[in-house]
């Protein structure tokens, strides 16, 4: 019994010490948060798989491309938690290139080059588990934190004149434009509608497709069935200027599409353009909030 009492005493002291340490972390000054960096995932093209599909792929690639597996690559970034005016600003700060840091140069970025906190569907958990277990409490805390990040990002975006209805119209037009450009193999025009990393991935997909099919037909049946925002995130690029941020909006599209592929002789080898297929797609759009004349571009696709 004496051993059990001593064990409980040591455990209580350890828990008290952990609580003190966590409290001290939360009460640190804003300056201290800008020094820590964490790993943030990035999409990149890895291998090639010769299997083809018509409308869905493992990496949510376009329907007329071969499947190629996408992986996540870690990129150094920091999560800032800066308290000002009674509000919490939550973003990720991207590290400047090593050469630029050494020279003390100011870096102007066209894109952070990764999708910050990619959206992933959360498994539904029962009420009792959410509120009466440690796992459920942790899940609830993560869900609330994610929603607060999205709410803050949207609030900051609204200050620049954002309108949800107007953005949805623009996003649908971008969806049609990018799919059409990829189907036609128009790399020159495609470069303007997507980020640099996304362009590299799409260019490879077009190359793979052209090695198999000579031509493809793609059409989206309007109006769109459904569109909604799944997530919003801010990415800071200058810890001394909170206005220098990129915003990423993750959208879910539910559309009816037509697809058909042809060989060099014009014969149909895949798909049927007389049939409508219901397609669910998740895309991530990105925009700079500090570059004059910045516009929305596709920066990533999420596996469905």
């Amino acid at each position: 019994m004496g051993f059990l009492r001593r064990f409980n005493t040591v455990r209580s002291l350890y828990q008290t010490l952990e609580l003190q340490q966590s409290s001290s972390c939360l009460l640190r000054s804003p300056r201290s948060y800008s020094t820590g960096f964490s790993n943030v995932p990035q999409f990149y093209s890895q291998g090639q798989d010769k299997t083809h599909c018509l409308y869905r792929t493992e990496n949510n690639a376009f329907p007329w491309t071969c499947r190629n597996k996408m992986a996540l690559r870690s990129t150094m970034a920091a999560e800032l938690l800066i308290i000002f005016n009674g509000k919490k600003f939550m973003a990720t700060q991207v590290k400047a290139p090593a050469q630029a840091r050494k020279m003390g140069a100011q870096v102007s970025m066209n894109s952070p080059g990764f999708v910050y906190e990619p959206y992933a569907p959360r498994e539904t958990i029962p009420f009792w588990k959410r509120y009466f277990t440690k796992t459920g409490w942790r899940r609830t805390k993560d869900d609330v934190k994610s929603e607060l990040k999205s709410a803050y990002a949207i609030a900051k975006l609204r200050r620049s004149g954002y309108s949800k209805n107007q953005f949805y119209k623009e996003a649908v037009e971008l969806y049609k434009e990018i799919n059409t450009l990829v189907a036609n193999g128009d790399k020159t025009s495609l470069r303007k509608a997507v980020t640099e990393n996304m362009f590299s991935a799409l260019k490879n997909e077009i190359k793979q497709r052209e090695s198999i099919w000579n031509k493809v037909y793609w059409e989206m049946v309007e109006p769109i069935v459904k569109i909604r925002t799944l997530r919003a995130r801010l990415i800071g690029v200058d810890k001394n200027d909170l206005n220098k941020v990129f915003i990423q909006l993750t959208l879910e599209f539910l559309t009816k599409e037509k697809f058909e592929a042809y060989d060099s002789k014009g014969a149909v080898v895949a798909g049927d353009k007389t049939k409508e297929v219901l397609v669910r797609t998740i895309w991530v759009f990105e925009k700079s909030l500090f570059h004059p004349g910045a516009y929305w571009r596709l920066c990533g696709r999420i596996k469905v």
Side-chain angles (χ1 to χ4, degrees):
M1 293 295 293
F3 173 80
L4 182 60
R5 283 196 299 271
R6 286 196 298 272
F7 175 78
N8 289 333
T9 302
V10 172
R11 184 175 63 175
S12 298
L13 290 173
Y14 179 75
Q15 291 176 344
T16 303
L17 178 60
E18 279 191 322
L19 180 62
Q20 290 176 349
Q21 289 176 344
S22 62
S23 300
S24 64
C25 290
L26 292 176
L27 295 175
R28 284 186 297 177
S29 64
R31 185 183 302 273
S32 64
Y33 281 96
S34 64
T35 60
F37 286 83
S38 59
N39 289 331
V40 178
Q42 175 182 2
F43 286 115
Y44 72 99
S45 205
Q46 185 173 335
Q48 296 183 2
D49 192 338
K50 294 300 182 179
T51 307
H52 310 120
C53 72
L54 299 182
Y55 297 103
R56 287 193 180 183
T57 63
E58 292 180 357
N59 64 345
N60 198 31
F62 290 99
W64 46 81
T65 61
C66 310
R67 290 182 184 173
N68 70 348
K69 300 178 181 178
M70 303 288 280
L72 295 176
R73 181 176 61 188
S74 297
T75 302
M76 294 302 292
E79 183 174 317
L80 294 178
L81 177 60
I82 301 177
I83 302 176
F84 65 99
N85 295 332
K87 298 181 181 179
K88 291 183 178 180
F89 174 81
M90 285 169 279
T92 292
Q93 184 173 2
V94 180
K95 241 185 177 182
Q99 184 178 0
R101 293 198 304 270
K102 184 177 180 180
M103 298 175 60
Q106 293 186 354
V107 181
S108 178
M109 300 179 62
N110 292 324
S111 171
F114 61 89
V115 176
Y116 176 47
E117 292 187 353
Y119 170 82
R122 305 299 296 270
E123 181 184 357
T124 304
I125 58 176
F127 175 85
W128 65 268
K129 187 174 182 180
R130 177 179 286 274
Y131 294 103
F132 297 102
T133 65
K134 289 185 179 180
T135 303
W137 296 342
R138 191 178 301 112
R139 166 69 180 275
T140 301
K141 183 189 74 172
D142 292 341
D143 289 346
V144 170
K145 183 179 178 182
S146 178
E147 291 299 322
L148 287 175
K149 286 183 177 182
S150 291
Y152 183 83
I154 294 295
K156 191 170 185 66
L157 182 60
R158 284 202 179 104
R159 296 177 197 153
S160 63
Y162 166 81
S163 166
K164 185 175 75 171
N165 292 333
Q166 182 62 34
F167 170 68
Y168 279 177
K169 292 179 181 178
E170 186 176 350
V172 171
E173 290 301 317
L174 267 175
Y175 183 84
K176 290 194 301 181
E177 178 187 358
I178 293 173
N179 276 284
T180 302
L181 292 174
V182 174
N184 296 335
D186 187 351
K187 302 185 188 74
T188 302
S189 301
L190 183 64
R191 184 185 291 272
K192 302 175 183 178
V194 301
T195 61
E196 290 75 13
N197 285 8
M198 195 71 244
F199 176 73
S200 179
L202 294 179
K203 186 172 63 172
N204 290 334
E205 291 181 5
I206 292 174
K207 184 178 180 180
Q208 293 175 19
R209 185 215 58 207
E210 290 177 343
S211 67
I212 301 169
W213 298 325
N214 185 60
K215 184 181 178 182
V216 296
Y217 170 89
W218 179 88
E219 177 188 355
M220 188 188 81
V221 180
E222 297 191 66
I224 190 171
V225 178
K226 182 181 179 181
I227 181 173
R228 63 170 178 153
T229 303
L230 300 177
R231 176 165 292 183
R233 290 293 184 266
L234 291 174
I235 303 175
V237 295
D238 188 347
K239 66 181 179 181
N240 298 318
D241 189 347
L242 300 181
N243 292 319
K244 289 187 177 181
V245 294
F246 287 86
I247 186 165
Q248 293 181 348
L249 294 184
T250 303
L251 299 186
E252 178 189 46
F253 296 90
L254 192 61
T255 60
K256 291 181 179 180
E257 302 177 7
K258 297 179 181 180
F259 166 79
E260 198 168 78
Y262 311 92
D263 61 15
S264 58
K265 297 180 180 180
V268 178
V269 292
D272 185 349
K273 67 178 182 181
T274 63
K275 296 181 180 180
E276 298 178 0
V277 178
L278 192 63
V279 180
R280 177 174 176 258
T281 311
I282 299 179
W283 281 13
V284 184
F285 293 94
E286 178 183 282
K287 182 181 180 182
S288 166
L289 297 185
F290 64 97
H291 284 108
Y295 52 89
W296 291 101
R297 297 189 296 171
L298 174 67
C299 71
R301 297 166 296 177
I302 305 298
K303 175 183 176 182
V304 178

